[in-house]
Amino acid sequence: SINEDGVTHTVTSGEGTMPTRGVLDSPFLMKGQAWSHTFREPGRYEYLCLPHIGQAGMREATVTVVR
């Protein structure tokens, strides 16, 4: 992921508005910074953005990995 926004974001494992210990744990990403993750197991991975946890568009996003 490349942050093309003018504000800082994260990609953080979470359920709803609660961060969890999971595979997605990016640092805070400023505009133009990139972060990537290689999924090792198929599944559904939910994530959120820590600085914007209260905004509906920045939580409860998912990635589904199939093999």
Side-chain angles (χ1 to χ4, degrees), residues 15-62:
E15 296 177 10
T17 59
M18 296 299 298
T20 60
R21 290 187 175 250
V23 298
L24 301 173
D25 188 22
S26 78
F28 286 84
L29 302 168
M30 303 296 282
K31 183 175 183 172
Q33 290 184 311
W35 180 79
S36 66
H37 174 79
T38 301
F39 293 91
R40 306 234 181 259
E41 298 292 327
R44 182 177 179 273
Y45 299 87
E46 191 171 336
Y47 65 96
L48 50 84
C49 174
L50 289 176
H52 303 101
I53 204 165
Q55 297 176 10
M58 296 289 173
R59 63 177 189 254
E60 299 179 19
T62 60

